[in-house]
Amino acid sequence: MPFPRRVALRSLFALAVTAATGGALGRIAVRSPEAADPYAFDEMYAGRRIRGLTGPGGEPVALVDGRPLHLMRCADGGWVTPLDHYESCPTPLSATRAAVDAAGSAPLSRYAAEHGLHSDPTGGNPRGVHA
């Protein structure tokens, strides 16, 4: 099978461009979607995995141990959560950390017992309080 001239010319052109640029074109970093995400974080905090990202509507989404944590925007531009709504935090990350501090070792969902994360017979509430 003969070697097509077009393939040979493309290969020579690619080699010439690589030599002329010193291989710099091959080292261009491609930004991942998370790198451009202003709300992205992923870390272990107080024994829990907390993650953040931008949701479909452009609002931040926070997850604590894979469970969603509601973030609310304040009038001052800060963020609060239902677990720690007394003090406005400057970023979604700091609001998520404050919520983890407020929750302690309690599960975030009242349905945690059904998911095997909490074996308390009160339905998932570690204090036995029913509202």
Side-chain angles (χ1 to χ4, degrees):
M1 180 171 174
F3 195 68
R5 189 180 316 171
R6 191 178 311 170
V7 174
L9 289 175
R10 283 184 193 161
S11 299
L12 286 175
F13 179 74
L15 183 61
V17 169
T18 302
T21 60
L25 292 178
R27 291 191 300 260
I28 295 175
V30 178
R31 295 186 77 174
S32 66
E34 285 110 21
D37 188 349
Y39 299 124
F41 57 88
D42 187 357
E43 65 180 44
M44 289 298 291
Y45 179 77
R48 295 187 181 225
R49 183 174 183 202
I50 60 174
R51 295 185 63 214
L53 55 114
T54 300
E59 291 295 314
V61 174
L63 301 170
V64 178
D65 294 333
R67 299 193 182 289
L69 174 69
H70 184 65
L71 293 169
M72 297 169 282
R73 189 74 177 205
C74 297
D76 66 358
W79 299 92
V80 295
T81 66
L83 295 173
D84 183 32
H85 59 272
Y86 298 110
E87 183 178 346
S88 176
C89 298
T91 65
L93 172 60
S94 59
T96 304
R97 287 176 177 164
V100 167
D101 291 339
S105 63
L108 290 184
S109 171
R110 65 184 180 136
Y111 302 111
E114 296 173 16
H115 297 290
L117 299 174
H118 195 273
S119 59
D120 188 45
T122 62
N125 190 324
R127 295 178 186 90
V129 178
H130 297 283

